[in-house]
Amino acid sequence: MQPMEKATSLGVSLLSGALAAALFKQVWKVVADQDEAPDPEDLERGWAEVLVAAAVQGAVFGLARAAVQRAGAQTFRRGS
């Protein structure tokens, strides 16, 4: 991997993390009708609610990461 490609990859990864966090927050508002996802250490919340939030968050982050990595790979392939 070339230095420019590494730097771009790092920047895009950070951007995808921020995008995924914002997207998850919006998805959680729609899914649970709550502004914030439950904190796993909040003992007032039930297991199901905490685990569903974690599963949704994992899916959103995985989707965002895969989409950004795929777009980056295609961009660098075209540039070669």
Side-chain angles (χ1 to χ4, degrees):
M1 191 181 273
Q2 300 296 324
M4 183 64 171
E5 189 177 348
K6 283 183 182 180
T8 302
S9 178
L10 176 62
V12 169
S13 292
L14 292 172
L15 182 64
S16 71
L19 173 69
L23 182 59
F24 170 69
K25 188 170 184 155
Q26 294 303 314
V27 168
W28 187 254
K29 281 182 182 180
V30 171
V31 169
D33 197 29
Q34 299 173 352
D35 287 338
E36 297 291 327
D39 182 351
E41 295 179 359
D42 182 357
L43 299 179
E44 300 296 316
R45 301 288 186 92
W47 275 91
E49 185 178 12
V50 170
L51 295 180
V52 166
V56 171
Q57 186 177 32
V60 168
F61 272 77
L63 177 70
R65 181 174 176 248
V68 168
Q69 284 183 334
R70 180 66 177 203
Q74 287 181 328
T75 299
F76 278 107
R77 186 177 66 183
R78 281 189 215 124
S80 299

